[in-house]
Structures are given as structure tokens and as C-alpha cells.
Amino acid sequence: MATVAEIFQSMEYGPAPESEKEALGWLAKHERVFGHFIGGEWTEPGDVFDVINPATNQPLARVTNGTAADVDAAVAAARAALAPWKGLAGHARARHLYALARGIQKHARLLAVLESLDNGKSIRETRDIDVPLVARHFYHHAGWAQLLDSEFPGYEAIGVVGQIIPWNFPLLMLAWKIAPALAAGNTIILKPAEFTPLTALCFAEIADEAGIPAGVINIVNGHGDTGAAIVNHDGVDKIAFTGSTEVGRIIRKATAGSGKKLSLELGGKSPFIVYDDADLDSVVEGVVDAIWFNQGQVCCAGSRLLVQEGIADRLVAKLRARMEKLRLGSPLDKAVDMGAIVAPVQLERIRGLVKHGVDEGATMWQPTWACPTEGCFYPPTLFTDVQPSSTIAQVEIFGPVLVTMTFRTPDESVALANNTPYGLAASVWTESINLALDIAPKIKAGVVWVNSTNLFDAAAGFGGYRESGFGREGGREGMWEYLKRSHDGLTPVVGVARTSRKASSRKAARGAMPAIDRTPKLFIGGKQARPDQGYTKRILSPSGEIVGESPEGNRKDIRNAVEAAQAAAGKWSRATGHNRGQILYYIAENLSARADEFADRIDAMTEVGAKLARMEVDASISRLFTYAAWADKYDGAVHSVPIRGVSIAMNEPIGVIGIACPDAFPLLGLISLAAPAIATGNTTIVIPSAPHPLAATDFYSVLETSDVPDGVINIVTGDRDALAKTLAEHDDVEAMWYFGTRDGTRLVELASASNMKRTWATWEERNWLDAEDGEGREFLRASTHVKNIWVPYGE
Ligand code: NDP
């Protein structure tokens, strides 16, 4: 045996295994076979599949593959539990969430070991990161349950939610999904990943012990088919999914037009940007946490190391030295840095992509120490000489593989960082706070960590841009994903009565108008533009009178409008809130000067009566004032996260937004949608009311005289659904709003899957005249992303 003196000489680690006894005991209690957890009961095991420990390739348990009938039963249980659960006082739900947090803490070690056995991740991470964060999520959301009525007035639970989670953070993803859903008053069907179902089952038992009412949380296991059955079930009101972009896209298409609310947390290829003044020793530890944490199986892993040219060689040398010291081995050894990859298929995928990288000509480096050959292990891997366009620089590898590229200037670093279809997270390393805070907003990602990486907390929202999905988890912003307006589906107080107006008064009004034939064009890039195909459509009033003509835009016009909106986007997003507000006031002023003319036009087109038409114009002016007011007031937040530092939640414009307006309220509908979008810094392509487009075409000259920069509002008239589909398919349109029919909603949601753009599509009518229904924070939220920028401080 080695003496203490000898141990000090070599400083070798001895094994420090965590006991698996309790976890195996828990499995044995269940005879290592599980049914589902539905309506507060375990179902009899059915058609089972094996759950394997990836570190040993030995089976751990057998779990039932959920059938459509199992999903039916779970949805029925959740539906039955909904009214009583939603009806509980916020305080009562808060106590339930608190009990869950306590239950997690009581069983923390069991959960940590079980997670490690099931997933292959190190006990150090499950014990010190995953499980404490799980408890933190339930505590934090107990708070939101308590504050629900006061902080989210006018909103209520969506209903029965289906949640589908991946295998990389099985219990943590469960908590991210379940805690906010419960706090808001929803009931749940959750499907864990087939590789890692065990901690969810253990959680079901803990929830039962904690007294969560039967049916509020239902756990159904199974493969992708089971997930699909949940997604497609008519009794589910919302789907929350975390996983691959590929499956996210399938789910987007499957739910299109169903009215189900959707949030997607998908893949990433996140940049880790190092400037030449960074503290390189901290950077090295940052890289370890960015890409070797959880074996790199992290959606926000810093998998692209972007280094300023002058320090690249020095950093790579330091990294290699550090990689030589990483320890990889049994996940239950408390002193390992890296455990096992989740499953053989994932290991093969990593091997395949690494080989591809080598074949593509990049230089691959791995430490000299030998990786275990039994079990699913893969060594930390570093690529240099990587081309930005190569597969390994573009594709999510989801393993411990880092690719390195260099840049010369900060501008180049931003271009390289954004050269990805994803936009989940980024790390920025520099000792210059000016540089860090200049770069952070320029990176298209939902989370930016300054001199840090992979920081998560229940108080700060997490989620992506672009193909990384939409929606946020955590914080106030995450709660919105599980709430809906309590007065959904209102019938407008002022219906679109087509025949209410008296013909005589209309004639008198129209008699006052100059009888000059006006043949409107489209409005693109600040100019009135002839439509590509030169067709116009005759616009009739409901009683059949000819009111005028309007051009029929087509996909080329949309293309031009998107180009104009894109060209204007950068400058407009950087305009100050004050400046944007001023322009909105100016539009209101110019509209007000022509209020009579607009009222008359609306009346002529819709025959709603002079009084109502005038109300519409007045409401439009007031709405412009509302968003002029908001332009410098839609503040972000500083989240209270448990680090020495701050997490700044910034409301950022989404970019280019396509807007298909409702048929009714031809002027007010347009202004209610375009004004919040531009107030928050977006540029827009607007498709006005298809039957009544002339208020929009009259509006061109208001825009022209109101200092609206070219391209900020572009207007294309024509067939709303066809144009909306084109916009939804366009990869340079970053969000699509659609207020039309159910068929159109489906069309838009389906088409949006091309670049996974955010959609706000609905066939529900709104009372646009109503201040609650037609304006406010709901519109501002739809216009913005929340970016969380984490800034630790201290010497
Ligand atoms: P998936 O996206 O396939 O799996 C995520 C979850 O969705 C699992 O519960 C899965 O079930 C379920 N699922 C699969 N197909 C469907 C479907 N058609 N409808 C509804 N649910 C479905 O990820 P994989 O596990 O297959 O991993 C593949 C790749 O995805 C990884 O290599 C990685 O690149 C990426 N990934 C990204 C994650 C992230 O957080 N960004 C997380 C996990 C993976 P089941 O487990 O039974 O297949």
C-alpha cells in the first residue's frame, strides 16, 4: 500500500465511488419494471423496453412503451384534474410546489445517483448542478404560483399541456417544464426520453408522496411514436418540447392550425468568443465547462471556439495542456470530470462527425491518455484549422468536440458567431466591459454569458432565436408560455355589421370627396411601387358598390418588400426609443389631420356607418400614441440570480416581421399590429385587410410625410393567405403574425417550419376597439425576444 508521503509525491487520484445501493434498492422495490404514472396510479407494465446504464452497457430496468390508449388515459386524467387544480388559490398551488421542492431535496442523493446511472453523466454534476437546480426551479415557481393573480392579471392556465423532453438533462428538463406549468395552473402529460426515463418515474413517486392531486402530473414513457401521440392528441392544449431541431420541425408542422400553443427549445451551435485581452486561464476553465460539461451533450454547449488571431496559438496550447489533465471514467466516481455518452447510437454519431471533420481537412487532437473501451465513452476532442462552412463548424455534434476558428476584429467575430442557423447561447470573453456589452446585443442568441458559461437559474429565462426554437423557460418570461388571456375568443363588442349604415349618408359623404381616380400601388422601401404583375382588383363595398381598386401583389413583390425591410432593420433597431416614439407621434398627427377622409373611406369600404368609422380612426390615433408612449418604456429587467453579478433581461426586436392583418377594422387592425412592431425596433411587411385594403393604400402618404425611414413599414396588398404563406416561407422573415382564418393559420404555421420562425397566428376575432383586447403588453411581447445577458463581477 502507498504511504502518505508517496501519495504526495505522485498526487494520483484514488477512486472515490458514490454508492449505488440506494438507487438500486429503489429499482428493486419496483422489481425493475415500470408502467406509466397516470391519474395518481402506476399502470400495469405493458410492452416494455430496456433502460441501459451507458457506462457499463448493463440493463437497469424495463419501462413500458406508451400506446395511443395510454396517452388517451393520461389526457383524460389530466383533463379531469384540470378544473380543481386551476381553481386552487395561488397560495395553495404555491404550497404544492414548495412541497415538491422539499421532496426533491429530501431525495436529492437518490435522484443524483439514479440520474448518473441512467444517463452516464458524472455524479459531481448530478449532485452539485442538476438536482440543486431542480429544487431551485420548484422553489422559484412556488413564488410565481403565489403571485399569479397579482402579477399576471387577466391571464389563466392554458389547460392540459403535453411536455416532451430529451435525455441530456432528464430531471432538470422535467423541472423546467413541470414547475412553470403547475405554477400557472395547468395539468401535465410528460414523456421522458426513452434513454433516460428513471428519474421522471422517481419524481412521480415523490410528487405523489408530496400530495400532488391525482392526474395533475402524468408520466407516460415511450419512443418517438408516444411523443407524436401526445403532440397530435385533440385533448392537449399546449406542447412544450425540448430536443432536436429536426423533431421540433415535425412538431411545428403537426400542430399547425390546431390552435395548440407551442414552445420549442431546440439545438444550438453556440459560439464561445475570446478576445485578445481575455484572461486566458479563466478562458480555459470556461471552455472545460462549455464543451466538456455533460460530455458536451448540452444544447447550449459552447461548441465553436472563436479566438482572436493573435492569441490563438497560446490558447490552444493551454487547452491541450488542460485536456491532458481531464479525468474521464465511471460516472459514479466523485473525482471524474467526464462520464459516459448516453447511448451507443449517440457515440456512433459523434464518431461519424469527428471522422467527417478529419476527412474535411481539419486537424483533430485528443489527449494522450486512453479512454475506457467498455461502455459508451468518448474523449474530449479539439479541432483546429476548421473552415467556417465545414460540417463540424455548422452541425450540432452533441458530444465533447470543440471546433476552433479565428477572427481578426470584433465585427468579424460577430459575423462568425452569427454564421449559424441556430441562436441559443453565446459566451463572450474579454476584460473590457465596453466590448462585452457592445458585442452581446449583436449576437443572435437568447442567452449571452460574459466571462462565464453555462449559467442557469430559474429566475432567468432560457431559450433561443431562429432554429434554436422559440419561447423561454425560467423567469417571468417563461411563465407566459403557460398562460393565456382569460377572455380569449371574445366576440367583438362592435361587430363588423356590414349593412348597418344608411346609404343616404354615405352618398353625402362620398359626394364631398374629390372624384379623382386613384390607382394605388404597393408601398415598398418608402416608395410607391408598381406591382410586379400589374393586376388590380376591384374593391366593392358589402352592398356591391365600387369603392376603388387595389393592386394584387405577388411573391416577387413580397421578395422586394422583405429586402427593403431587411435593409432597414439594422439602423431602425438601433434608433433610440425616443426617436421611434417621435415618429409614431408624427404618424398620429398626420393621420389626425386627415381623420375625416379616412373615416369616410372606411365607411365606404365597410359600410359600418360614419360613427363607427370615425371611432376606428380615433382609436387608430390613440393606438399610435400608446405605442409612441411605450417606445421608450418597454424596459427589460435585471433578474435576481444567485451569482455575484447580474443577469440583464433585454427586450430585443425580433427583426423583420411579416404581418397579415384582419379583414375587419381595415385601418385600426393595421395600426394595432404595425405600431407595436415598429415601436420596439422591428421592420415590417404588412398585408392589409384583403376585402378592404384602401385605408392602407391611403396610409402610404401619411407614412411618407411622417419621417418613417424607408423600409420600416412596407405594404403589399392582395390575396392575404397566398401572400402570408410566401412571407411565412421566407427565410429572412424572422416572425410572422397572421389574423385570419383557421385554414390560413395552418398554412402559415406549416410554412414557418422552414426556418422555425416565431408565429402569432390565429383565427379568433378581437375587438380592436377595446384597449385590453387590441393593445398593450401582449403585442409588445410578441414583438420582442428576451435576451438574458449574464455579467458576473468582482475581482
Ligand atoms: P429527439 O429530438 O429525437 O428527442 C427528444 C424527445 O422527443 C424524446 O423524448 C423523443 O423520444 C421525442 N420524440 C422523438 N420523435 C418524436 C416525434 N416525432 N414526436 C414527438 N416526440 C418525439 O432527440 P434525440 O434523442 O434523437 O437526439 C438526436 C439529436 O438531437 C442529438 O444528437 C442532438 O444533436 C439533438 N438533441 C438536442 C437536444 C437539445 O437540448 N438541444 C436534446 C437532445 C437531442 P425518444 O427519446 O423516445 O426518441
Side-chain angles (χ1 to χ4, degrees), residues 271-280 283 305-312 314-315 405-418 426-443 448-451:
F272 186 108
I273 313 169
V274 186
Y275 296 95
D276 58 10
D277 64 344
D279 168 2
L280 289 195
V283 167
L305 176 63
L306 312 181
V307 194
Q308 198 150 14
E309 213 168 59
I311 53 162
R314 211 146 49 90
L315 180 58
M405 286 166 274
T406 58
F407 62 86
R408 276 165 292 188
T409 61
D411 278 351
E412 211 176 286
S413 72
V414 171
L416 207 50
N418 288 337
S427 279
V428 174
W429 294 76
T430 167
E431 290 298 293
S432 159
I433 190 75
N434 293 340
L435 180 61
L437 293 182
D438 181 44
I439 296 294
K442 293 180 179 162
I443 294 176
V448 179
W449 293 292
V450 174
N451 293 329

Side-chain angles (χ1 to χ4, degrees), residues 34-108:
F34 294 86
H36 310 297
F37 189 77
I38 296 176
E41 311 267 347
W42 291 105
T43 64
E44 284 300 314
D47 171 26
V48 290
F49 58 89
D50 284 335
V51 179
I52 308 287
N53 176 345
T56 61
N57 287 336
Q58 297 302 310
L60 284 168
R62 286 171 305 144
V63 164
T64 301
N65 186 22
T67 60
D70 294 329
V71 172
D72 280 346
V75 173
R79 182 62 60 193
L82 180 63
W85 178 250
K86 187 170 165 177
L88 282 182
H91 176 62
R93 277 204 308 280
R95 286 170 78 137
H96 277 298
L97 278 138
Y98 183 80
L100 280 174
R102 303 288 293 168
I104 299 286
Q105 284 184 316
K106 263 188 260 172
H107 298 285

Side-chain angles (χ1 to χ4, degrees), residues 164-168 191-195 222-225 227-228 231 241-244 247 250-251 265-268 298-299 346 349 396-398 424:
I164 298 166
I165 56 171
W167 41 258
N168 54 344
K191 189 196 91 65
E194 65 187 85
F195 294 146
H223 303 287
D225 293 351
V231 168
F241 171 80
T242 299
S244 61
V247 175
I250 294 172
I251 293 177
E265 304 285 349
L266 309 175
V298 183
C299 49
Q346 194 60 23
R349 182 183 149 83
E396 182 179 42
I397 300 177
F398 229 62
L424 196 51

Side-chain angles (χ1 to χ4, degrees), residues 119-140:
N119 169 281
K121 59 169 70 189
S122 74
I123 183 72
R124 193 171 56 81
E125 288 176 9
T126 60
R127 183 197 58 196
D128 299 346
I129 299 172
D130 295 40
V131 176
L133 269 176
V134 169
R136 162 94 182 117
H137 264 265
F138 284 103
Y139 280 126
H140 178 81

